[in-house]
Structures are given as structure tokens and as C-alpha cells.
Amino acid sequence: MVADPKRHGDTPDAESAEDRKPQSDEVRSAFTPPLGVPLPAPPEEEHPTSEFALPSGLAADAGQQSESEGSAFTLPGGQQREREGRRYSGNFPAFTPPEGIPVIRLSKEQPWQDRMRTMLRMPVGDRPVPERAERHEDDSGPAVPRVLDLTLRIGELLLAGGEGAEDVEAAMFGVAHAYGLDRCEPTVTFTLLSVTYQPSLVDDPVSATRTVRRRGTDYTRLSAVFQLVDDITSDDVEVTLEESYRRLADIRRNRHPFPGWALTVAGGSLSGAASMLVGGGWLVFIAAAIGAMLGDRLAWLASGRGLPEFYQFVAAAMPPAAMGVTLVLVHADVRPSAVITGGLFALIPGRALVASVQDGLTGYYITASARLLEVCFLIVGIVVGVLLVLVVGVELGANLSPDERLASDPRPVIQTFAAMMLALAFCVLLQQERSTVLAATLNGGVAWVVYGALHDVGGISPVMSTAVAAGLVGLFGQLFSRYRYASALPYVTAAIGPLLPGSATYFGLLGIAQGDLDTGFASLSKAVALALAIAIGVNLGGELARLFIKVPGADIETGERRAAKRTRGF
């Protein structure tokens, strides 16, 4: 068969047309008619029109008419990348909303926690380009592994010190962002920290992880880490990688501001103040202080022998309960319930409870679940230690009544003084900076005054009164932290001490020990409700401070305050 040159188009233009990539809607037939059979008439249109084609008489867009055939990876017409500014020029009519793309400006006067938290709550593609010069030693770019390592070490100290997962991620993102790693994603769980950096969409990501194995309560170290992060993220202070490592090593080597004997005395003072808070006198104060100090020394002994923290709480809860049972057996004219309640105040893990609820409310459910499980184990340890003593006391004939009233009449002056003393003792136990002790002590006194005014005078339920008082604690703590550009924990954790549900916990354990399960579990349920009211109130107060109280010049021109949107209920 002889090929027809006209039909097959053996011309240069035809050959190039044959070699090109076929159109998506181009149809070709492999059928060749035999000799003597005329060829079918060509169709009116060589390429059938798509259902999305423009109607006849309607002019197409000039950009579409001049668009040439190219690769699917080629930028659209008019789109050119500015490598230095990292921005794209041109218009995106199909993707730009009618009101335009919002302009995002993060003011320098805004605390770095709020700036980094705002950026974390944005998708990676919506985050603004930093308006600062990248901090690296030479023109080759930042030392990515060292920056990631520094970021993880700072996050480890913050997480081990009790900071919430969102604040830890904000600090990690701030450090990496300050040293030029813009496309990074930190991830925080209860024991694992990770950060991933991807230089561009076509480069392989670099990831690093670090495990948190030991936790401690040293708010002086926590404040120093916050100051380091503030200096790193500030444009006014130039902090190199070497200087950051040096300061971080100094923070790790710093000794605690208060020695061990001061912690023991503070624990005794805390329990004594708590016993006076629930109606005890000076004799009850001394008995509760002695029981708490014995429990503290016993817990230190268990810790020195390598026992887990659960058994340390069991050991620490036994001496205060034993002191109360002993006073009943010797027929002393005191309230044993006040002695035991005072001892429980120093053991209830309020800090971990607040952190767990805060992580849950901000969407970090894995970390919140792990923290809450830790709180449950520690409370079970307290329950076991107290129940062992109470069961023995009941068998020995100790008349412990679950219907006993702790405070028969309010004593505003004495109780306010006791609340402030309790907060002061908590500050020592948490190893706070001396500059934060006064503010935290006053915050604790204000919390108790508000609670007493609502519950004793106003007749409001204890759960609601506790929630309102805790909300004010969180609000004032957030204000103090924003004023000093520091963590809010030193101003909040000690201040919620007077609100902890020590008496409800004690009466619940006593009811269980005496076999009255209904009364016991009802009282324990009240203790759980009070603890959740404290945690939610503290978190809500902090969120209100960040939502409504603006720093001058710190407005973010986005039209709304961004937050995580993970679940909506449908």
C-alpha cells in the first residue's frame, strides 16, 4: 500500500505536529479503508469542543488566547518568582477572595508568645514572611542541625518545667524562626519533642527528636529559659548560636535558689496554713506542719532509693494522716480533719492538673491525656497512703466522723493571712524567682477573698465560686506575664493553692475507709469538680487576657483572632 502524502502530511510542519503531545480530547482512528473505497468526509471540527468551551460570540480572555502549550509544572502566565523576597508576583483571579488577601503584620511590641502562637495557628502557606535579617554565621545559610538541636533543648526545659504544649511549641517555633528556619513544624507530646524543617517544596525535610525523661519544678530555670527565648526572638538583641548554647548551659548548671531544708520548712508551713484555712488553730497548725515535714523527708528517702513517684506520694501521704489519727486516739481537743486536710494540700498535683486541662482545651489531646493519667496515678498514690492509715485508725477505735464541719464560722482576716502564707510556701516549693514571690502571694490572697465573698457571703456554690476565683488568678497571672514577657506559671500555680480541694478529698477517703461508699464517692466527685473548675477557670482567665487586653501597637490585621479548628461536632 502506497501512503498518501497529502493525507499523512509528510511535511516538516506535519511531522512536528505528529511528534507533539496529543491533546486530551483528540481522537485518532486506526482504521484504513481498502482500495477503491472513498475516504469519509472530514468532520466539521477537527477537535470536538468541550462542554466547558465558551459559547459562540463570547470573546475569550486574552490571557487564555495567548496561552501556549507547556508543561503542567510551569507557572501560569504572568507568574514570576522573586527569589530574594520569596514572594510571587501577578494575579490569581481564580483563588483570590473578593475582599482580597488579608495583610498580616505582627507588631514588635507584642509578646513573643502571642506572635508565635498566632503563626502556629496559621497554615504554613499563610504565614507571613519575617521582616528581619536571617541570623547565620556566613552566606551559606543557617546551621540547620545546630538550630534544630538548640530548639529541642529549649523545648525540653520548658516541657520538663510544666509549660503547656502550645507554649512549648510557640517557643520552639520562635527560636527556629529567629535563626532563619521559616518552614518548620514543631510537635510536642508528653515525653517526645520533634521539629521538622523543609527548605523548599522540592527539598527533603530534616527532622530531629528529643525525649523528656526527667521533670522538675524549678520556675527560676523556667523564667531564665523564657528570657533566653525573648532575647533570641527580639530584633533589638543579637544572640548568636554560640551565645545561645552558652546561656543554655549556664541555665542547666544553675543551682536551685532554695536549699533542701528550706523546701521541707516550706512544706510544713504550707500544710499548717492550709489547716488554719479550714478552721484549725495554732495547735492544729503545729501538728499539720510536723506531719507534712515528716512526709516530705520520707518521700525524699523513697526518692533516694530509686522508688517511682507513685510510691513517693504514698509515703508522703501517710505521716499527716497518722498525725491526725494519733490526735484522736490521745483525745486531744483539736480537729483531726483539719490536720489531715492540711497535709493533703501540699500533695495534690494542682500544677499538673491545670496543665492537662489547658492542653485539652487548646487541642493537644494526646499530651492532655498523658498529663491527666499522671495526675490520676499521683492522686491514687495519695489515696492509698491516706487509706492505709485511716483503716488502721478505724480498727484502733479512732472516732473519725465524715460529717464533721471544718470551719464553723468564717474568719476573713485569719483565713486571708493563711491563704497568702500558703501561696508564699508554694512559691518556695516551686523554686520561684524572688521577684515573682510577692505578686504570686498577693494573687493567692485575692483568690481566697473572691472565693470567700462569693461562697460565704453570696451563698454561691463552691464549684462556681472556685471557678470565678481561679479565673481571676489566670487573668492576673497572664497580665503579670505579659508585663514581664515571661511565663505565667510562677504567678498562677502558687496562687491557686488556697483553692485546692483538700477537704473534699479527705472526707471522700474517710467515707471509703469507713465503708460508706456513697458518701465517699460523692465527696470525691465534688473534689474532682472543684479541681476541674480550677483548671478551666485558670485557662479561661488567660485566654480572656490574650483576647481582649491588647498591647499598644500589637494589632494583627487579619480581621479575627485565629485559633485551632480541629473538631466541630459534626
Side-chain angles (χ1 to χ4, degrees), residues 276-302:
M276 296 184 67
L277 201 64
V278 293
W282 288 107
L283 183 58
V284 173
F285 178 93
I286 296 174
I290 294 176
M293 287 189 289
L294 291 177
D296 180 76
R297 289 293 93 189
L298 194 58
W300 276 102
L301 181 63

Side-chain angles (χ1 to χ4, degrees), residues 99-383:
E99 65 275 8
I101 300 176
V103 179
I104 302 174
R105 294 187 180 93
L106 301 178
S107 175
K108 301 297 187 299
E109 288 80 8
Q110 194 176 18
W112 66 265
Q113 298 98 313
D114 290 350
R115 286 187 282 125
M116 296 304 113
R117 186 183 293 109
T118 301
M119 295 187 69
L120 274 176
R121 291 176 177 179
M122 297 179 186
V124 179
D126 296 342
R127 291 173 183 169
V129 177
E131 299 178 358
R132 46 98 182 106
E134 296 183 357
R135 302 178 181 180
H136 47 79
E137 306 299 334
D138 49 25
D139 296 335
S140 61
V144 175
R146 298 194 66 198
V147 173
L148 296 183
D149 179 70
L150 177 67
T151 301
L152 291 174
R153 290 178 183 272
I154 290 177
E156 178 191 9
L157 287 179
L158 293 177
L159 187 63
E163 273 292 344
E166 188 177 31
D167 291 330
V168 176
E169 281 195 2
M172 295 173 62
F173 182 81
V175 173
H177 193 265
Y179 285 110
L181 307 187
D182 301 328
R183 302 179 60 87
C184 69
E185 284 296 331
T187 305
V188 175
T189 58
F190 185 59
T191 58
L192 184 65
L193 299 169
S194 64
V195 59
T196 301
Y197 169 66
Q198 188 174 15
S200 65
L201 295 176
V202 297
D203 293 328
D204 295 331
V206 181
S207 300
T209 60
R210 194 171 183 88
T211 303
V212 180
R213 302 189 183 276
R214 296 188 61 183
R215 301 177 184 273
T217 53
D218 188 346
Y219 282 1
T220 300
R221 177 180 296 176
L222 189 69
S223 300
V225 177
F226 261 74
Q227 183 61 46
L228 174 59
V229 176
D230 185 36
D231 292 341
I232 292 175
T233 57
S234 176
D235 291 337
D236 300 331
V237 181
E238 183 70 23
V239 183
T240 62
L241 279 175
E242 295 297 333
E243 185 177 355
S244 298
Y245 269 106
R246 181 187 58 79
R247 291 179 58 178
L248 194 62
D250 293 338
I251 292 173
R252 287 180 174 274
R253 285 195 299 264
N254 282 344
R255 301 186 61 179
H256 300 303
F258 301 103
W261 64 267
L263 300 182
T264 302
V265 174
S269 302
L270 188 153
S271 297
S275 64
M276 296 184 67
L277 201 64
V278 293
W282 288 107
L283 183 58
V284 173
F285 178 93
I286 296 174
I290 294 176
M293 287 189 289
L294 291 177
D296 180 76
R297 289 293 93 189
L298 194 58
W300 276 102
L301 181 63
S303 176
R305 294 295 184 271
L307 292 178
E309 197 172 15
F310 174 84
Y311 300 104
Q312 298 176 27
F313 271 75
V314 173
M318 295 177 68
M323 185 65 68
V325 171
T326 302
L327 291 176
V328 174
L329 294 177
V330 299
H331 304 287
D333 188 17
V334 295
R335 289 193 178 101
S337 57
V339 177
I340 301 176
T341 299
L344 293 179
F345 264 83
L347 299 177
I348 296 177
R351 174 180 59 88
L353 179 64
V354 171
S356 65
V357 174
Q358 179 182 0
D359 289 340
L361 294 177
T362 52
Y364 295 84
Y365 302 117
I366 297 178
T367 307
S369 302
R371 289 185 189 271
L372 191 59
L373 187 60
E374 179 192 30
V375 171
C376 292
F377 270 103
L378 298 182
I379 291 179
V380 169
I382 298 172
V383 169

